[in-house]
Amino acid sequence: RWILKAMLTPSDLEQLFTVAAEHAPFEMCGLMFDGYPLQLCTNMASDALHGFEISHEEYLRHVAGYGAAPWATVHSHPHGPAKISGRDMLLLDAQAVVGNTMKMIIVGCKPMEIRIYAKVDDPLRPYRCEWQWAPLPMEATPICFAQNS
């Protein structure tokens, strides 16, 4: 059965766009925990203009603090759309190998959009965009796409 499901609140959307803009031209990164706003992390990537990396120590510190694993990793694409990249696919692949179903939120800055991706068991389309939002002219409501539940 198909339902409409918003995965991020309006406050989350505003925060994600604001933080991405503040970190440009570098990629911002963070974690999302159930019921909490973005937990911003330090981007440890050697090339933070084109990638992101969260240290193991910081990741584990946040997991211990929240008492649970995050439901998503977050990062921005300050120079383009929220389209999944090869590096992003590798991270979702690595998570799937250990049975982690964490999502990936990508904040695109050109154009402004947010997409949530997941690794799925489909050899033809192994990475699915489960949700996306982009500001509409003259409207303040998000575009929310149907998903199977």
Side-chain angles (χ1 to χ4, degrees):
R1 140 179 146 226
W2 291 91
I3 62 168
L4 291 178
K5 180 179 181 183
M7 300 179 94
L8 297 168
T9 68
S11 177
D12 292 332
L13 297 171
E14 182 179 348
Q15 182 187 26
L16 290 169
F17 282 125
T18 299
V19 172
E22 289 171 351
H23 283 79
F26 303 101
E27 289 196 14
M28 70 84 171
C29 60
L31 303 166
M32 294 294 292
F33 293 87
D34 282 335
Y36 293 95
L38 171 68
Q39 177 58 63
L40 193 60
C41 296
T42 302
N43 187 345
M44 303 296 293
S46 59
D47 180 9
L49 286 169
H50 303 101
F52 79 99
E53 182 179 332
I54 300 170
S55 75
H56 299 294
E57 295 82 8
E58 185 172 14
Y59 178 87
L60 293 173
R61 187 174 65 250
H62 291 309
V63 168
Y66 286 96
W71 69 268
T73 57
V74 180
H75 71 284
S76 62
H77 287 179
H79 310 289
K83 184 178 178 186
I84 194 167
S85 70
R87 285 183 182 177
D88 299 336
M89 291 177 198
L90 289 174
L91 178 57
L92 286 176
D93 286 343
Q95 291 173 344
V97 166
V98 296
N100 187 331
T101 60
M102 192 170 12
K103 312 279 188 218
M104 178 175 289
I105 300 172
I106 302 175
V107 181
C109 297
K110 296 177 184 177
M112 285 180 52
E113 63 178 341
I114 294 174
R115 294 184 186 190
I116 301 176
Y117 290 92
K119 171 85 171 164
V120 294
D121 190 22
D122 179 347
L124 299 177
R125 284 190 65 213
Y127 313 98
R128 178 175 47 210
C129 178
E130 294 190 332
W131 190 89
Q132 71 184 60
W133 185 92
L136 293 174
M138 309 300 287
E139 290 190 36
T141 56
I143 300 171
C144 188
F145 291 89
Q147 74 179 67
N148 196 356
S149 88

XYZ file of all heavy atoms in Angstrom, residues 34-67:
266
model
N 16.576 9.716 15.800
C 15.120 9.812 15.930
C 14.715 10.867 16.944
O 15.159 10.843 18.092
C 14.521 8.460 16.357
C 14.421 7.487 15.206
O 14.343 7.935 14.045
O 14.412 6.274 15.461
N 13.873 11.808 16.495
C 13.322 12.805 17.393
C 14.233 13.969 17.722
O 13.894 14.802 18.570
N 15.390 14.067 17.068
C 16.348 15.136 17.357
C 16.720 15.870 16.078
O 16.680 15.299 14.994
C 17.624 14.562 17.986
C 17.401 13.976 19.353
C 17.167 12.616 19.509
C 17.418 14.791 20.481
C 16.951 12.070 20.769
C 17.202 14.254 21.740
C 16.976 12.899 21.877
O 16.755 12.370 23.122
N 17.141 17.138 16.207
C 17.621 17.858 15.023
C 18.986 17.336 14.581
O 19.600 16.509 15.260
C 17.716 19.310 15.512
C 17.873 19.212 16.988
C 17.152 17.949 17.413
N 19.456 17.865 13.485
C 20.761 17.491 12.943
C 21.849 17.582 14.000
O 21.958 18.582 14.700
C 21.121 18.420 11.772
C 22.544 18.323 11.227
C 22.767 16.980 10.533
C 22.814 19.471 10.276
N 22.643 16.535 14.107
C 23.842 16.554 14.942
C 25.005 16.793 14.000
O 25.450 15.886 13.297
C 24.014 15.235 15.695
C 25.281 15.174 16.525
C 25.379 16.282 17.554
O 24.564 16.369 18.456
N 26.381 17.134 17.413
N 25.468 18.036 13.935
C 26.547 18.405 13.032
C 27.846 17.732 13.460
O 28.130 17.610 14.651
C 26.715 19.927 13.042
C 27.577 20.526 11.953
C 27.015 20.217 10.569
C 27.674 22.031 12.154
N 28.620 17.271 12.483
C 29.908 16.626 12.751
C 31.008 17.375 12.003
O 30.741 18.098 11.049
C 29.884 15.167 12.278
S 28.709 14.135 13.163
N 32.235 17.165 12.427
C 33.388 17.750 11.755
C 33.704 16.935 10.507
O 33.793 15.709 10.572
C 34.610 17.749 12.696
O 34.276 18.486 13.874
C 35.824 18.362 12.031
N 33.851 17.620 9.383
C 34.209 16.940 8.139
C 35.719 16.722 8.140
O 36.501 17.663 8.025
C 33.788 17.765 6.928
C 33.995 17.016 5.629
O 34.693 16.008 5.584
N 33.376 17.494 4.571
N 36.120 15.460 8.282
C 37.530 15.095 8.365
C 38.132 14.712 7.002
O 39.285 14.281 6.940
C 37.700 13.916 9.329
C 37.174 14.167 10.737
S 38.040 15.462 11.598
C 39.634 14.713 11.794
N 37.373 14.853 5.925
C 37.851 14.436 4.601
C 39.081 15.239 4.190
O 39.181 16.438 4.463
C 36.745 14.618 3.561
N 40.009 14.572 3.519
C 41.205 15.262 3.031
C 40.837 16.280 1.948
O 41.544 17.263 1.756
C 42.228 14.261 2.504
O 41.670 13.492 1.462
N 39.727 16.055 1.241
C 39.225 17.001 0.244
C 37.776 17.326 0.598
O 36.843 16.774 0.008
C 39.326 16.404 -1.161
C 38.818 17.349 -2.237
O 38.533 18.534 -1.934
O 38.682 16.905 -3.396
N 37.580 18.208 1.572
C 36.234 18.548 2.050
C 35.437 19.369 1.038
O 34.245 19.587 1.235
C 36.320 19.290 3.382
N 36.086 19.811 -0.046
C 35.351 20.484 -1.119
C 34.497 19.484 -1.895
O 33.482 19.854 -2.484
C 36.311 21.172 -2.092
C 36.977 22.447 -1.605
C 38.092 22.865 -2.561
C 35.946 23.560 -1.464
N 34.933 18.213 -1.915
C 34.269 17.211 -2.755
C 33.953 15.911 -2.025
O 33.714 14.892 -2.665
C 35.144 16.907 -3.979
C 35.447 18.115 -4.786
N 36.664 18.772 -4.703
C 34.688 18.824 -5.652
C 36.638 19.817 -5.512
N 35.454 19.874 -6.093
N 33.970 15.907 -0.717
C 33.688 14.680 0.022
C 33.499 14.962 1.498
O 33.715 16.079 1.964
N 33.084 13.930 2.208
C 32.924 14.073 3.652
C 33.380 12.803 4.345
O 33.368 11.718 3.762
C 31.471 14.403 4.040
C 30.554 13.208 4.049
C 30.247 12.566 5.251
C 29.993 12.731 2.888
C 29.406 11.462 5.272
C 29.137 11.631 2.895
C 28.857 10.993 4.103
N 33.799 12.962 5.577
C 34.193 11.829 6.410
C 33.957 12.221 7.863
O 34.376 13.294 8.293
C 35.662 11.500 6.186
C 36.150 10.310 6.974
C 37.617 10.008 6.711
O 38.112 10.322 5.616
O 38.260 9.455 7.621
N 33.284 11.348 8.588
C 33.052 11.534 10.020
C 33.990 10.571 10.742
O 34.026 9.385 10.417
C 31.584 11.241 10.392
C 30.641 12.189 9.643
C 31.379 11.346 11.909
C 29.171 11.834 9.752
N 34.751 11.070 11.706
C 35.692 10.192 12.408
C 34.936 9.138 13.208
O 33.810 9.365 13.667
C 36.595 11.000 13.346
O 35.885 11.405 14.500
N 35.561 7.986 13.364
C 34.958 6.903 14.144
C 34.702 7.355 15.572
O 33.665 7.040 16.154
C 35.864 5.663 14.150
C 36.110 5.100 12.792
N 35.122 4.531 12.030
C 37.248 5.042 12.057
C 35.632 4.133 10.882
N 36.918 4.424 10.865
N 35.659 8.093 16.136
C 35.522 8.554 17.521
C 34.309 9.467 17.688
O 33.543 9.320 18.647
C 36.796 9.290 17.977
C 38.028 8.421 18.059
C 38.715 8.212 16.709
O 38.330 8.850 15.707
O 39.627 7.372 16.654
N 34.130 10.412 16.748
C 32.987 11.325 16.843
C 31.675 10.565 16.649
O 30.709 10.784 17.377
C 33.113 12.454 15.818
C 32.013 13.485 15.968
C 32.209 14.716 15.095
O 33.053 14.693 14.162
O 31.507 15.701 15.348
N 31.644 9.665 15.682
C 30.448 8.854 15.443
C 30.066 8.078 16.713
O 28.918 8.122 17.168
C 30.692 7.898 14.274
C 29.528 6.984 13.993
C 28.496 7.384 13.158
C 29.451 5.713 14.572
C 27.420 6.549 12.907
C 28.378 4.874 14.319
C 27.365 5.295 13.488
O 26.303 4.471 13.253
N 31.032 7.382 17.300
C 30.754 6.580 18.494
C 30.365 7.442 19.694
O 29.515 7.053 20.494
C 31.960 5.699 18.830
C 32.254 4.596 17.812
C 33.560 3.899 18.142
C 31.104 3.604 17.722
N 30.952 8.627 19.803
C 30.590 9.538 20.888
C 29.112 9.952 20.777
O 28.386 9.979 21.766
C 31.501 10.767 20.882
C 31.296 11.687 22.069
C 32.298 12.822 22.138
N 32.159 13.760 21.013
C 33.023 13.905 20.016
N 34.130 13.187 19.981
N 32.813 14.771 19.054
N 28.663 10.241 19.555
C 27.261 10.618 19.359
C 26.325 9.438 19.612
O 25.268 9.596 20.228
C 27.040 11.183 17.959
C 27.692 12.518 17.746
N 27.518 13.585 18.597
C 28.540 12.944 16.786
C 28.208 14.622 18.168
N 28.850 14.250 17.060
N 26.699 8.258 19.151
C 25.870 7.063 19.396
C 25.735 6.820 20.901
O 24.641 6.565 21.403
C 26.463 5.825 18.677
C 25.797 4.541 19.150
C 26.310 5.974 17.160
N 26.838 6.937 21.625
C 26.785 6.758 23.081
C 25.921 7.836 23.731
O 25.133 7.551 24.643
C 28.200 6.781 23.670
N 26.035 9.065 23.260
C 25.256 10.167 23.834
C 23.769 10.047 23.600
O 22.965 10.377 24.471
N 23.374 9.575 22.419
C 21.952 9.424 22.093
C 21.414 8.057 22.509
O 20.216 7.837 22.538
C 21.708 9.650 20.598
C 21.796 11.102 20.197
C 22.977 11.632 19.688
C 20.709 11.955 20.343
C 23.072 12.963 19.329
C 20.785 13.287 19.990
C 21.966 13.791 19.481
O 22.063 15.114 19.135
N 22.308 7.108 22.784
C 21.880 5.781 23.200
C 21.310 4.935 22.082
O 20.647 3.929 22.331
